[in-house]
Amino acid sequence: MSKSEHHFMTHKNSRWHELKYVLKVLTEFIRGFRVLHFVGPCATVFGSARLQEGTVFYEQARKIGVMLANMGFTVMTGGGGGIMEAANRGAKEAGGLSVGCNIILPHEQAPNPYLDKVVEFDFFFVRKVLLSKYSYCFIVMPGGFGTLDEMFEAITLIQTRKMSPFPIVLFGREFYQKLYEQLVAMEKAGTISAEDLSLFLITDSLEEAQQHIHKNAVEAFGLNNYKHLTPWRLLLEKRVNRIKNNDLKQ
């Protein structure tokens, strides 16, 4: 959390200080809009930064990045390491477009080297909005508090119809089994509806995930006929271009 965000969340501030904070938030939103407006239909992959290369889930996320790129999606992540890096890496290996929304943290979460474009943010909530705004599907790999926060926000937005019913795929059946049991218990207690359990798919199968995304995103939202927006030179807007693979850090 940035110093200004920490101060905002824990202190009463002057009107002038609050105005400066709002303007900084507005600036971050506009900067994100200017870049991500032209990246095409995105698929966002959530997951832990702690699961590094060589782990099963890293390799699965890499394959998912390949799959999504081959389906025509721009692969979007939080821009960091671990699962995020793996998904971006897979997208690049498939010749797809790869973007990241990186959060600036005190311990300096560095953007991974497999990004065609990275937008950096001070504010977690701005980043979360942009990770959702341009995406037509969400892949939730194993992760920690941040991953669950992003997952449940997407589910809540769809449940409350604040967002279209985009497909959400939880990848890792064994990892998410206890969580699913808790959700079933919530349904039995009446705190969620039975229909809410159908807002996501839990699977270990790339083929099942692909079919689910194709049916509920590509076909449902007509992405095969997606019209890419044209940047306006007058506003100094630019397309995000793919970097050549040999330009990437090895």
Side-chain angles (χ1 to χ4, degrees), residues 146-237:
T147 300
L148 291 179
D149 176 41
E150 292 159 339
M151 178 191 78
F152 278 116
E153 176 157 322
I155 290 174
T156 301
L157 289 173
I158 292 172
Q159 178 203 46
T160 56
R161 301 184 182 181
K162 292 292 185 180
M163 187 163 69
S164 298
F166 301 127
I168 300 173
V169 178
L170 279 61
F171 206 89
R173 186 179 295 276
E174 182 179 355
F175 184 88
Y176 284 111
Q177 181 59 35
K178 295 295 184 182
L179 176 62
Y180 181 72
E181 291 173 6
Q182 175 60 37
L183 295 176
V184 170
M186 292 164 63
E187 186 272 326
K188 289 180 179 178
T191 58
I192 63 173
S193 302
E195 295 78 14
D196 294 335
L197 295 175
S198 65
L199 295 176
F200 55 88
L201 168 72
I202 302 180
T203 187
D204 289 322
S205 167
L206 283 172
E207 183 178 356
E208 185 179 18
Q210 181 176 5
Q211 291 174 351
H212 184 72
I213 292 168
H214 188 272
K215 176 182 178 181
N216 295 287
V218 178
E219 292 183 0
F221 295 96
L223 299 184
N224 284 328
N225 298 314
Y226 183 88
K227 294 183 179 180
H228 290 266
L229 299 173
T230 303
W232 287 13
R233 290 186 179 181
L234 183 64
L235 298 178
L236 303 179
E237 296 172 339

Side-chain angles (χ1 to χ4, degrees), residues 38-241:
F38 305 102
V39 297
C42 292
T44 294
V45 179
F46 299 127
S48 175
R50 301 184 184 189
L51 297 173
Q52 298 297 317
E53 185 174 4
T55 62
V56 171
F57 292 127
Y58 182 99
E59 298 308 321
Q60 288 176 333
R62 190 171 171 181
K63 292 177 182 178
I64 286 170
V66 171
M67 176 193 77
L68 293 170
N70 286 336
M71 293 179 73
F73 287 104
T74 294
V75 174
M76 178 184 286
T77 74
I83 294 297
M84 296 174 280
E85 174 187 296
N88 290 129
R89 182 176 181 177
K92 292 302 298 172
E93 290 169 342
L97 195 61
S98 170
V99 298
C101 296
N102 190 53
I103 190 70
I104 300 171
L105 296 174
H107 52 274
E108 297 183 2
Q109 174 175 294
N112 72 66
Y114 301 101
L115 297 168
D116 294 304
K117 188 67 178 181
V118 58
V119 187
E120 295 197 303
F121 300 96
D122 270 325
F123 304 110
F124 264 111
F125 64 88
V126 176
R127 176 187 186 234
K128 284 170 63 180
V129 168
L130 293 177
L131 282 170
S132 299
K133 178 175 172 60
Y134 297 96
S135 292
Y136 287 83
C137 69
F138 302 92
I139 306 291
V140 186
M141 297 295 294
F145 292 145
T147 300
L148 291 179
D149 176 41
E150 292 159 339
M151 178 191 78
F152 278 116
E153 176 157 322
I155 290 174
T156 301
L157 289 173
I158 292 172
Q159 178 203 46
T160 56
R161 301 184 182 181
K162 292 292 185 180
M163 187 163 69
S164 298
F166 301 127
I168 300 173
V169 178
L170 279 61
F171 206 89
R173 186 179 295 276
E174 182 179 355
F175 184 88
Y176 284 111
Q177 181 59 35
K178 295 295 184 182
L179 176 62
Y180 181 72
E181 291 173 6
Q182 175 60 37
L183 295 176
V184 170
M186 292 164 63
E187 186 272 326
K188 289 180 179 178
T191 58
I192 63 173
S193 302
E195 295 78 14
D196 294 335
L197 295 175
S198 65
L199 295 176
F200 55 88
L201 168 72
I202 302 180
T203 187
D204 289 322
S205 167
L206 283 172
E207 183 178 356
E208 185 179 18
Q210 181 176 5
Q211 291 174 351
H212 184 72
I213 292 168
H214 188 272
K215 176 182 178 181
N216 295 287
V218 178
E219 292 183 0
F221 295 96
L223 299 184
N224 284 328
N225 298 314
Y226 183 88
K227 294 183 179 180
H228 290 266
L229 299 173
T230 303
W232 287 13
R233 290 186 179 181
L234 183 64
L235 298 178
L236 303 179
E237 296 172 339
K238 297 180 181 178
R239 288 193 184 278
V240 175
N241 297 314

Side-chain angles (χ1 to χ4, degrees), residues 8 15-29 123 125:
F8 175 79
R15 293 181 180 84
W16 172 241
H17 186 278
E18 304 288 45
L19 176 61
K20 289 194 296 182
Y21 181 86
V22 170
L23 291 176
K24 186 174 181 181
V25 170
L26 177 63
T27 300
E28 288 211 344
F29 269 121
F123 304 110
F125 64 88

